Amino acid sequence: PSPEAIAPKMDIVRELYQQAYQSAKTTEEKIAVADEMQAAAEQTQDDPEGQFALYRVAREIYVREGDLRSAMAIVQVLDRTFNELAALKRMHEVIVNVARPTTQADDYSRIGLWLTEQCLSAGRVELAEDTFDTLRDRLVRIPADQLPQLKWTKDRLKNARELLDAYEFAGMKLQSDPADADAQASTGKYLAIVESRWDEALARLAAGSDPIFRQAASAEQSDSALAQPNALEVADLWFDIFRSTDAPLDRHALASHA
């Protein structure tokens, strides 16, 4: 729904639940009011703007009262129900603003690391970095059992940042020299590894300066019908590149593509 359509509905929801919320004294009682709003939203089928407003106000309360899981769940419900394009950004906002993260360190860390990976998978490198930095800034101590995941995610972010920086520099070079082989290679690697846009990446990699990527991309492009023996040979070429690198984001993307 448009902001213009939602605004009056938000006012109505706040007015309807104002007395119940003001009467609630404890965190648990305030969360219970948000639970009522969420239940009402689930039952509202003929008023999409009203349903959206109920979910939104409930999410605000969950964030304010520190109910991380419920706030994140509502963002996902809004994404499924209304195809909200900014779902990752909204979840990031929950991570940034939710109250008392240190009292729910295990959940906060797990969800923050999960969201960082979701942003990376969507090619949203800067949002992934912001989420990861927020997680580390707001938690005094990461739970010990999550330290390996933390390190793995940190390494993947570093890998993604290197690819993004090279991609942005390549974009400037290609403006003056569209045939620059180094720039073509950097552009192709970013498109393939970070954004999973392999169809666009192959032509770049085939024209690029990295010989092993050029060989694999050229072979895949020339095999348009992908007959079984040739397809296996192409997959082997990509898997050879996978075995040649230690970069975690590269390895995941290359293994998946192979």
Side-chain angles (χ1 to χ4, degrees), residues 36-50:
E36 290 180 20
M37 292 182 187
Q38 184 173 0
E42 291 167 357
Q43 297 300 315
T44 302
Q45 303 297 326
D46 57 352
D47 180 7
E49 292 85 4

Side-chain angles (χ1 to χ4, degrees), residues 198 202 212-213 215-224 226-241 254 257-258:
W198 283 92
L202 290 174
I212 57 175
F213 275 89
Q215 180 187 14
S218 298
E220 182 166 343
Q221 283 191 309
S222 66
D223 188 20
S224 57
L226 282 186
Q228 188 67 22
N230 290 339
L232 292 176
E233 290 173 8
V234 171
D236 284 342
L237 290 172
W238 290 116
F239 201 71
D240 286 343
I241 304 175
L254 289 163
H257 187 64

